[in-house]
Amino acid sequence: MSAERMAIADRARIHAALGDPARLAIVDTLVAGDAAPGELGMVLEMPTNLIAHHLKVLEDAGLVIRSRSEGDRRRTYVRLATEVLASVVTPSLTEAPRVVFVCTQNSARSQLAASIWSRRSHIPALSAGTQPAAKPHPRAVRVARKHGLDPAAWRTSHVDDVVEREDLIVAVCDVAYEHLPADARPRLHWSVPDPAAVDNDAAFEAAYSELTDRIDRLATVLSSASSTTRRGR
């Protein structure tokens, strides 16, 4: 089979996987953030066996990827393979007055995310940690400077001292997400691997790249929501 024919076959399989309303609902739920299968079942009010079936179809089509939690190793999270979703329209989110990026120590991922966000959106962004370290990770500081960000004002903070009722919380690590209070809403989850666990420059660069990609998508969604709200006033 030629490369062109294979590309068409791949696209047909993706469209077939998205042709089921339940699977499209799963994709819509995962566009903004990652989720465990059980969480998808609760949000979409589907039994676990049905969620498992639909996730298997989406996984076979290359649309979703599973990863093991870095916190509770018994849990798995499902994320979208965004490179195959260029034609999928991102669903709207409600307008958020602020975005707060949260990781465990508030030393790397959340700091990078807040700084990247500040260059992509007019919506204010802060960062916080569930167990904040004494100071930001030096490799995160180095990567930030390499990409033109200014980490001079970075300070670590506890999530309880930062988050306000209307903030959109974006947990950029599994451990922080699993330790957020159940009533901490609205919130999203990005399962970004902990670069400090590897502790080399490549790992921090990978985290920066993934955060940038996710922020570019979310900033567009929130900007659209903000514009729609202003037009409706």
Side-chain angles (χ1 to χ4, degrees):
M1 183 181 292
S2 68
E4 182 178 356
R5 290 282 300 278
M6 286 189 70
I8 292 173
D10 288 342
R11 288 169 55 206
R13 186 169 64 254
I14 291 165
H15 282 284
L18 293 172
D20 183 275
R23 290 195 286 274
L24 189 56
I26 290 172
V27 169
D28 283 349
T29 304
L30 292 173
V31 166
D34 310 333
E39 292 170 334
L40 289 171
M42 286 188 291
V43 170
L44 300 175
E45 298 181 344
M46 291 186 200
T48 55
N49 62 330
L50 196 55
I51 286 288
H53 164 70
H54 289 309
L55 285 177
K56 178 66 164 57
V57 174
L58 292 170
E59 192 171 20
D60 289 345
L63 283 162
V64 301
I65 300 167
R66 297 175 191 261
S67 62
R68 185 72 60 181
S69 168
E70 293 183 340
D72 183 347
R73 300 293 296 176
R74 296 168 297 179
R75 300 186 72 173
T76 61
Y77 290 114
V78 183
R79 59 183 295 178
L80 288 178
T82 55
E83 64 275 9
V84 301
L85 287 173
S87 62
V88 175
V89 178
T90 303
S92 294
L93 295 174
T94 56
E95 182 181 9
R98 295 195 316 178
V99 179
V100 180
F101 294 96
V102 177
C103 65
T104 307
Q105 295 194 320
N106 190 212
S107 63
R109 287 166 289 183
S110 55
Q111 298 280 5
L112 286 168
S115 292
I116 296 166
W117 180 272
S118 296
R119 295 203 306 189
R120 299 296 200 276
S121 175
H122 66 280
I123 300 171
L126 297 172
S127 70
T130 54
Q131 299 173 24
K135 60 182 180 180
H137 197 291
R139 290 189 190 274
V141 171
R142 244 186 345 259
V143 167
R145 287 180 174 144
K146 176 182 175 182
H147 291 279
L149 304 176
D150 183 8
W154 285 5
R155 300 291 185 275
T156 58
S157 302
H158 194 278
V159 65
D160 291 344
D161 298 326
V162 174
V163 174
E164 297 178 357
R165 179 183 293 272
E166 300 300 323
D167 291 340
L168 172 61
I169 303 171
V170 183
V172 294
C173 88
D174 299 340
V175 179
Y177 177 71
E178 291 160 13
H179 284 85
L180 284 174
D183 60 352
R185 304 287 184 187
R187 66 179 184 182
L188 298 173
H189 173 214
W190 296 349
S191 189
V192 181
D194 182 8
V198 181
D199 201 20
N200 61 34
D201 289 346
F204 282 81
E205 282 288 348
Y208 173 88
S209 296
E210 180 167 356
L211 289 168
T212 299
D213 178 62
R214 287 177 179 262
I215 284 168
D216 283 343
R217 283 183 278 134
L218 181 60
T220 300
V221 174
L222 289 185
S223 294
S224 298
S226 179
S227 297
T228 300
T229 301
R230 286 197 297 270
R231 286 197 301 270
R233 287 172 182 164

